Amino acid sequence: MLRLFAILEKRILQNLDKFKMDNVETDAERPSGEEVENFIKTSLSKFHLVRCSSSEQLIISLHSLESLFANHPEICVLMLDSLSAFYWIDRTNAGDSGTAQETMQRKMVDVLQRLIQEYNLVLFATKPAIVQRTKKFQQDLHGTVAEASPLNSSISEQSHEQIEHYEYLCNSWHKLVSHRYIIRRHNDVRANESGEKSMRALFKVTLIHPSNVKHQCTFLVTEAGVMYNL
């Protein structure tokens, strides 16, 4: 929460400075530090954070959120990070049964689907890429071991057409997703005017579903939050 507060403060101060530069002749006074702080606190009061330590807690928490959505119809976004946080724990507890391994996933998806439909919510969910494959190295029908692209591979090495999503969650989740993006990270080396080189983490987002839409963008994570690298 402190990180989010710092990001909002940095972004607001940057926008205030930009507004002042673009409107030199305006007599508007700059908000005081206390006014900025109060504005941020008011904004964060509309942000509800829930922490869970198991799939059971997550499902119970989603059920309990229903009263919040019903009493506050202005809430329109639900974010879940990460969707597969308890994936390995659930697989271990379920044993060798594939059906049992997906029990918690299906319960979670059922609750999410109902909340989305009944309260007109937009759901943003993340999950790490446990397995990544490219079309060049797919597993064939005879069981030949496929080469997996490493998680830290350079995004410049794989074009939009090469990226393949590997779904490891239950089929009901796969059907629920309307848009799917892949986020990759690589190190971007840049030199300043004096020739000194510095490295920064650059993230590239690629829309892979629906497949008929082509979209990519890159961004940086800075002290002021996400900054798109246009």
Side-chain angles (χ1 to χ4, degrees), residues 23-36:
N23 300 271
V24 180
E25 300 178 356
T26 304
D27 295 330
E29 294 184 3
R30 180 187 178 92
S32 64
E34 184 178 356
E35 289 175 327
V36 172

PDB file of all heavy atoms in Angstrom, residues 23-36:
ATOM      1  N   ASN A  23       0.684  25.977 -18.717  1.00  0.00           N
ATOM      2  CA  ASN A  23      -0.239  27.092 -18.468  1.00  0.00           C
ATOM      3  C   ASN A  23       0.470  28.144 -17.612  1.00  0.00           C
ATOM      4  O   ASN A  23       0.092  28.407 -16.458  1.00  0.00           O
ATOM      5  CB  ASN A  23      -1.500  26.593 -17.761  1.00  0.00           C
ATOM      6  CG  ASN A  23      -2.241  25.553 -18.571  1.00  0.00           C
ATOM      7  OD1 ASN A  23      -3.092  25.859 -19.386  1.00  0.00           O
ATOM      8  ND2 ASN A  23      -1.913  24.284 -18.333  1.00  0.00           N
ATOM      9  N   VAL A  24       1.510  28.730 -18.171  1.00  0.00           N
ATOM     10  CA  VAL A  24       2.334  29.696 -17.444  1.00  0.00           C
ATOM     11  C   VAL A  24       1.524  30.905 -17.012  1.00  0.00           C
ATOM     12  O   VAL A  24       1.720  31.460 -15.925  1.00  0.00           O
ATOM     13  CB  VAL A  24       3.533  30.139 -18.314  1.00  0.00           C
ATOM     14  CG1 VAL A  24       4.383  31.147 -17.549  1.00  0.00           C
ATOM     15  CG2 VAL A  24       4.348  28.942 -18.740  1.00  0.00           C
ATOM     16  N   GLU A  25       0.582  31.309 -17.839  1.00  0.00           N
ATOM     17  CA  GLU A  25      -0.177  32.532 -17.554  1.00  0.00           C
ATOM     18  C   GLU A  25      -1.345  32.296 -16.601  1.00  0.00           C
ATOM     19  O   GLU A  25      -2.047  33.232 -16.238  1.00  0.00           O
ATOM     20  CB  GLU A  25      -0.689  33.119 -18.870  1.00  0.00           C
ATOM     21  CG  GLU A  25       0.429  33.487 -19.851  1.00  0.00           C
ATOM     22  CD  GLU A  25      -0.119  34.014 -21.158  1.00  0.00           C
ATOM     23  OE1 GLU A  25      -1.372  34.021 -21.309  1.00  0.00           O
ATOM     24  OE2 GLU A  25       0.674  34.413 -22.021  1.00  0.00           O
ATOM     25  N   THR A  26      -1.576  31.063 -16.206  1.00  0.00           N
ATOM     26  CA  THR A  26      -2.691  30.760 -15.305  1.00  0.00           C
ATOM     27  C   THR A  26      -2.338  31.134 -13.871  1.00  0.00           C
ATOM     28  O   THR A  26      -1.213  30.907 -13.415  1.00  0.00           O
ATOM     29  CB  THR A  26      -3.039  29.248 -15.373  1.00  0.00           C
ATOM     30  OG1 THR A  26      -3.312  28.903 -16.722  1.00  0.00           O
ATOM     31  CG2 THR A  26      -4.255  28.939 -14.525  1.00  0.00           C
ATOM     32  N   ASP A  27      -3.308  31.706 -13.158  1.00  0.00           N
ATOM     33  CA  ASP A  27      -3.081  32.137 -11.777  1.00  0.00           C
ATOM     34  C   ASP A  27      -3.435  31.067 -10.752  1.00  0.00           C
ATOM     35  O   ASP A  27      -3.430  31.335  -9.550  1.00  0.00           O
ATOM     36  CB  ASP A  27      -3.908  33.400 -11.483  1.00  0.00           C
ATOM     37  CG  ASP A  27      -3.449  34.583 -12.323  1.00  0.00           C
ATOM     38  OD1 ASP A  27      -2.248  34.619 -12.662  1.00  0.00           O
ATOM     39  OD2 ASP A  27      -4.292  35.452 -12.641  1.00  0.00           O
ATOM     40  N   ALA A  28      -3.763  29.874 -11.216  1.00  0.00           N
ATOM     41  CA  ALA A  28      -4.165  28.809 -10.292  1.00  0.00           C
ATOM     42  C   ALA A  28      -3.021  28.467  -9.345  1.00  0.00           C
ATOM     43  O   ALA A  28      -1.870  28.328  -9.756  1.00  0.00           O
ATOM     44  CB  ALA A  28      -4.582  27.573 -11.080  1.00  0.00           C
ATOM     45  N   GLU A  29      -3.356  28.325  -8.055  1.00  0.00           N
ATOM     46  CA  GLU A  29      -2.341  28.001  -7.061  1.00  0.00           C
ATOM     47  C   GLU A  29      -2.080  26.500  -7.038  1.00  0.00           C
ATOM     48  O   GLU A  29      -2.987  25.689  -7.212  1.00  0.00           O
ATOM     49  CB  GLU A  29      -2.801  28.470  -5.676  1.00  0.00           C
ATOM     50  CG  GLU A  29      -2.907  29.977  -5.539  1.00  0.00           C
ATOM     51  CD  GLU A  29      -3.265  30.377  -4.128  1.00  0.00           C
ATOM     52  OE1 GLU A  29      -3.364  29.477  -3.265  1.00  0.00           O
ATOM     53  OE2 GLU A  29      -3.446  31.581  -3.889  1.00  0.00           O
ATOM     54  N   ARG A  30      -0.839  26.139  -6.779  1.00  0.00           N
ATOM     55  CA  ARG A  30      -0.462  24.738  -6.677  1.00  0.00           C
ATOM     56  C   ARG A  30      -0.990  24.176  -5.357  1.00  0.00           C
ATOM     57  O   ARG A  30      -0.850  24.807  -4.301  1.00  0.00           O
ATOM     58  CB  ARG A  30       1.062  24.607  -6.723  1.00  0.00           C
ATOM     59  CG  ARG A  30       1.576  23.166  -6.632  1.00  0.00           C
ATOM     60  CD  ARG A  30       3.088  23.171  -6.519  1.00  0.00           C
ATOM     61  NE  ARG A  30       3.617  21.827  -6.382  1.00  0.00           N
ATOM     62  CZ  ARG A  30       4.007  21.063  -7.388  1.00  0.00           C
ATOM     63  NH1 ARG A  30       3.914  21.532  -8.618  1.00  0.00           N
ATOM     64  NH2 ARG A  30       4.494  19.864  -7.185  1.00  0.00           N
ATOM     65  N   PRO A  31      -1.620  23.001  -5.376  1.00  0.00           N
ATOM     66  CA  PRO A  31      -2.112  22.399  -4.129  1.00  0.00           C
ATOM     67  C   PRO A  31      -0.972  22.179  -3.144  1.00  0.00           C
ATOM     68  O   PRO A  31       0.150  21.864  -3.529  1.00  0.00           O
ATOM     69  CB  PRO A  31      -2.721  21.071  -4.589  1.00  0.00           C
ATOM     70  CG  PRO A  31      -2.982  21.249  -6.048  1.00  0.00           C
ATOM     71  CD  PRO A  31      -1.923  22.171  -6.549  1.00  0.00           C
ATOM     72  N   SER A  32      -1.274  22.335  -1.878  1.00  0.00           N
ATOM     73  CA  SER A  32      -0.265  22.107  -0.846  1.00  0.00           C
ATOM     74  C   SER A  32      -0.009  20.620  -0.671  1.00  0.00           C
ATOM     75  O   SER A  32      -0.774  19.770  -1.158  1.00  0.00           O
ATOM     76  CB  SER A  32      -0.741  22.707   0.479  1.00  0.00           C
ATOM     77  OG  SER A  32      -1.909  22.032   0.935  1.00  0.00           O
ATOM     78  N   GLY A  33       1.057  20.290   0.029  1.00  0.00           N
ATOM     79  CA  GLY A  33       1.378  18.890   0.288  1.00  0.00           C
ATOM     80  C   GLY A  33       0.285  18.183   1.053  1.00  0.00           C
ATOM     81  O   GLY A  33      -0.004  17.006   0.808  1.00  0.00           O
ATOM     82  N   GLU A  34      -0.340  18.908   1.981  1.00  0.00           N
ATOM     83  CA  GLU A  34      -1.436  18.320   2.764  1.00  0.00           C
ATOM     84  C   GLU A  34      -2.647  18.035   1.893  1.00  0.00           C
ATOM     85  O   GLU A  34      -3.302  16.994   2.049  1.00  0.00           O
ATOM     86  CB  GLU A  34      -1.818  19.275   3.891  1.00  0.00           C
ATOM     87  CG  GLU A  34      -2.885  18.715   4.817  1.00  0.00           C
ATOM     88  CD  GLU A  34      -3.217  19.661   5.949  1.00  0.00           C
ATOM     89  OE1 GLU A  34      -2.546  20.716   6.046  1.00  0.00           O
ATOM     90  OE2 GLU A  34      -4.145  19.361   6.736  1.00  0.00           O
ATOM     91  N   GLU A  35      -2.936  18.917   0.946  1.00  0.00           N
ATOM     92  CA  GLU A  35      -4.071  18.712   0.048  1.00  0.00           C
ATOM     93  C   GLU A  35      -3.835  17.518  -0.872  1.00  0.00           C
ATOM     94  O   GLU A  35      -4.758  16.733  -1.124  1.00  0.00           O
ATOM     95  CB  GLU A  35      -4.309  19.977  -0.780  1.00  0.00           C
ATOM     96  CG  GLU A  35      -4.879  21.131   0.014  1.00  0.00           C
ATOM     97  CD  GLU A  35      -4.987  22.410  -0.788  1.00  0.00           C
ATOM     98  OE1 GLU A  35      -4.119  22.636  -1.668  1.00  0.00           O
ATOM     99  OE2 GLU A  35      -5.931  23.184  -0.563  1.00  0.00           O
ATOM    100  N   VAL A  36      -2.600  17.378  -1.358  1.00  0.00           N
ATOM    101  CA  VAL A  36      -2.260  16.229  -2.195  1.00  0.00           C
ATOM    102  C   VAL A  36      -2.392  14.940  -1.399  1.00  0.00           C
ATOM    103  O   VAL A  36      -2.939  13.932  -1.874  1.00  0.00           O
ATOM    104  CB  VAL A  36      -0.831  16.373  -2.760  1.00  0.00           C
ATOM    105  CG1 VAL A  36      -0.407  15.089  -3.467  1.00  0.00           C
ATOM    106  CG2 VAL A  36      -0.742  17.554  -3.717  1.00  0.00           C
TER     107      VAL A  36
END
